[in-house]
Amino acid sequence: MPDIRDLDGYVAALGEATIHGLARWSAANMPGRPAISIDGVGVTHGALDEMASRVAGWLATHIQPGERVLIAGPVSLDWVACYLGTLRAGGVAALANPSYTAAELDALVSASGATLAIAWGEAARRLTEVSRARALVVVTDVSDVSDDATGGAGVSDLINGESDAKMDRTGPGSTAILAFTSGTTGRPKGVPLTHRNLVSSMRSVMAAWRWSSDDVLVHALPLFHLHGLGGLHATLIAGSSLHIVSHFTPAGWLRVAAESHATVLFAVPTMYQRLATETLSSPAPLNDLRLAVSGSAQLGEDVAAGAAELLGRFPLVRYGTTESGLDTSHVYGDAGSLSLSTTIGIPLPGLEVRIAGDDGAELGPEGAGEIQIRGPQVFAGYWGDPDATSAAFASGGWFRTGDIAQRDPTSGHLVIRGRSKDVIITGGLNVYPREVELALEKHPSVREAAVAGIPHETWGEQVTAWVVLRPGHALDEDALIAHS
């Protein structure tokens, strides 16, 4: 490990590994430690590594390094083994939402160039429709899928095949996953992320959050999304334990957290909101919990306060994008204030973050502008789309997130004001929707607010708000307008 006084060297070394290589290290050093449990069905680090070795051995005879493998299906231990096996065999994992329609899966196959898919359940059946029109081999355990689609192989052949414990056909600079920023509408935009991107991002946040092999993470997030997948990566890197709840309910999630002695929770604001608003009958105390993380959307003060009352701590907010990994976070141990709940924290170790104006110049401490990011976890460009890549980067290699933020003058934390495309221009003035939403949500009658601009013949755009009232409160339009 480099001298931490050499910060540049330390940060560069964070990414000099692969996801599957670090998972194998954990398996070799802590083979009997519980790794992952999904709805109560678990596997140790050693057993998971053996499963991944078998998948890698099979895939190595069917794909070349760099080829894309589409993985689609409900979360399961087999899913995790096939993901790790794909990486070890040098493949690029293209992760699909299992609820996608055949048309949406076809778009992903086309965008990724995948020639092999591993799928379960309804996703497997839909992919067989795609395979008839494309050169796609679908590996599945669904009994009514024809051998023509599967090539005569099933997932059980991968999991129970011959192990190749030494298999490793890739390195830190190779692409590990091909994520997509869209897909339900329009053409999917592919985001290739290397092992170096993923590992440097995860190791940075693990250092900031003081993650160790003793940690127990509980979440109910999908693994095809980077939020949930990041929890899996942290578990594999640290040799810690992860409990996944495949179908979220507040009571079920809290029960698993209590029974597993969870130390860390991952969730999105909607989940924390349900914790605070749904009636729960005497949930067991989470005596071991040290960290509750919120991400993927903005957390409101009301939701944060409700979650804190139930969990005994305020959620720690972190911010990131598909293209740049995890970028900012509340400081671990300092997230105990309601006033910080609407901020996204400060830059994580090894990452440069600036606020830039429309002219691309960095703004002063009080300026509101676009968050731009530079660091080892930032991707190099969109898959096969040089025009989108050029538009995504400012001079100097700064990735343009499209999110508008400002520094809080008291804490120095970043505060999201909105998206650059969402700015409302009314009467020549720029209005950021999130600022109006936050103001409305401070009114005692408002539980939630959403703000957007609608066309107006005089002002160009009119600032318009939709609100959800708290129980027992009536709408007073004039009071809300005056308050905002």
Side-chain angles (χ1 to χ4, degrees), residues 48-227:
L48 178 61
D49 183 69
E50 177 66 18
M51 292 169 67
S53 294
R54 292 171 181 167
V55 174
W58 188 94
L59 284 175
T61 64
H62 292 78
I63 64 168
Q64 295 297 316
E67 289 190 27
R68 276 73 65 203
V69 176
L70 191 72
I71 303 176
V75 61
S76 67
L77 297 178
D78 283 355
W79 190 104
V80 177
C82 288
Y83 169 66
L84 287 174
T86 297
L87 301 185
R88 188 176 295 189
V92 177
L95 308 181
N97 184 334
S99 66
Y100 274 173
T101 64
E104 290 167 335
L105 290 170
D106 181 69
L108 288 188
V109 172
S110 175
S112 65
T115 57
L116 189 146
I118 306 172
W120 299 259
E122 289 302 316
R125 294 185 178 90
R126 297 185 191 110
L127 277 166
T128 59
E129 298 178 33
V130 175
S131 70
R132 296 186 184 105
R134 296 186 181 276
L136 179 71
V137 174
V138 183
V139 180
T140 177
D141 275 347
V142 177
S143 59
D144 60 354
V145 173
S146 69
D147 286 344
D148 290 340
T150 65
V155 174
S156 59
D157 295 305
L158 279 67
I159 302 297
N160 299 315
E162 187 173 342
S163 176
D164 190 340
K166 296 182 179 180
M167 171 68 65
D168 191 347
R169 304 201 299 176
T170 191
S174 300
T175 302
I177 68 173
L178 185 57
F180 291 90
T181 58
S182 65
T184 55
T185 60
R187 185 170 66 88
K189 192 186 300 183
V191 180
L193 297 170
T194 65
H195 288 271
R196 183 176 289 118
N197 293 148
L198 296 168
V199 171
S200 59
S201 176
M202 208 63 235
R203 277 178 156 176
S204 174
V205 80
M206 289 169 68
W209 294 347
R210 304 177 193 177
W211 204 293
S212 76
S213 60
D214 293 327
D215 273 309
V216 177
L217 168 65
V218 173
H219 77 58
L221 303 168
L223 296 185
F224 60 80
H225 189 276
L226 290 182
H227 192 166

Side-chain angles (χ1 to χ4, degrees), residues 428-447:
L429 299 176
N430 289 352
V431 176
Y432 297 108
R434 187 56 184 160
E435 289 186 328
V436 183
E437 290 168 357
L438 288 172
L440 286 168
E441 288 171 357
K442 289 182 182 296
H443 192 280
S445 68
V446 176
R447 192 175 76 184

Side-chain angles (χ1 to χ4, degrees), residues 122-351:
E122 289 302 316
R125 294 185 178 90
R126 297 185 191 110
L127 277 166
T128 59
E129 298 178 33
V130 175
S131 70
R132 296 186 184 105
R134 296 186 181 276
L136 179 71
V137 174
V138 183
V139 180
T140 177
D141 275 347
V142 177
S143 59
D144 60 354
V145 173
S146 69
D147 286 344
D148 290 340
T150 65
V155 174
S156 59
D157 295 305
L158 279 67
I159 302 297
N160 299 315
E162 187 173 342
S163 176
D164 190 340
K166 296 182 179 180
M167 171 68 65
D168 191 347
R169 304 201 299 176
T170 191
S174 300
T175 302
I177 68 173
L178 185 57
F180 291 90
T181 58
S182 65
T184 55
T185 60
R187 185 170 66 88
K189 192 186 300 183
V191 180
L193 297 170
T194 65
H195 288 271
R196 183 176 289 118
N197 293 148
L198 296 168
V199 171
S200 59
S201 176
M202 208 63 235
R203 277 178 156 176
S204 174
V205 80
M206 289 169 68
W209 294 347
R210 304 177 193 177
W211 204 293
S212 76
S213 60
D214 293 327
D215 273 309
V216 177
L217 168 65
V218 173
H219 77 58
L221 303 168
L223 296 185
F224 60 80
H225 189 276
L226 290 182
H227 192 166
L229 190 66
L232 172 64
H233 289 166
T235 299
L236 298 173
I237 291 170
S240 52
S241 299
L242 166 62
H243 295 266
I244 297 177
V245 180
S246 64
H247 300 287
F248 176 79
T249 64
W253 192 58
L254 290 175
R255 177 183 55 77
V256 172
E259 291 176 353
S260 64
H261 300 281
T263 61
V264 183
L265 299 177
F266 278 9
V268 297
T270 301
M271 293 176 174
Y272 286 121
Q273 182 183 48
R274 288 185 61 184
L275 286 183
T277 58
E278 293 189 13
T279 302
L280 300 174
S281 57
S282 303
L286 303 180
N287 296 324
D288 300 288
L289 185 66
R290 67 176 187 85
L291 178 62
V293 177
S294 179
S296 298
Q298 296 191 53
L299 185 71
E301 286 187 354
D302 189 51
V303 175
E309 183 176 353
L310 187 62
L311 301 176
R313 64 185 61 252
F314 283 94
L316 179 149
V317 176
R318 68 23 161 222
Y319 164 85
T321 72
T322 302
E323 296 92 338
S324 61
L326 294 172
D327 304 318
T328 71
S329 167
H330 287 167
V331 178
Y332 176 68
D334 289 348
S337 169
L338 182 62
S339 64
L340 293 179
S341 63
T342 55
T343 77
I344 59 170
I346 62 175
L348 287 162
L351 199 70

Side-chain angles (χ1 to χ4, degrees), residues 355-404:
I355 305 297
D358 293 338
D359 60 358
E362 185 169 4
L363 299 177
E366 297 181 0
E370 183 182 46
I371 301 175
Q372 297 185 355
I373 298 168
R374 193 164 62 181
Q377 59 262 57
V378 179
F379 83 138
Y382 293 106
W383 182 261
D385 197 338
D387 292 338
T389 297
S390 178
F393 287 89
S395 60
W398 291 94
F399 171 64
R400 304 183 59 187
T401 66
D403 288 317
I404 303 299

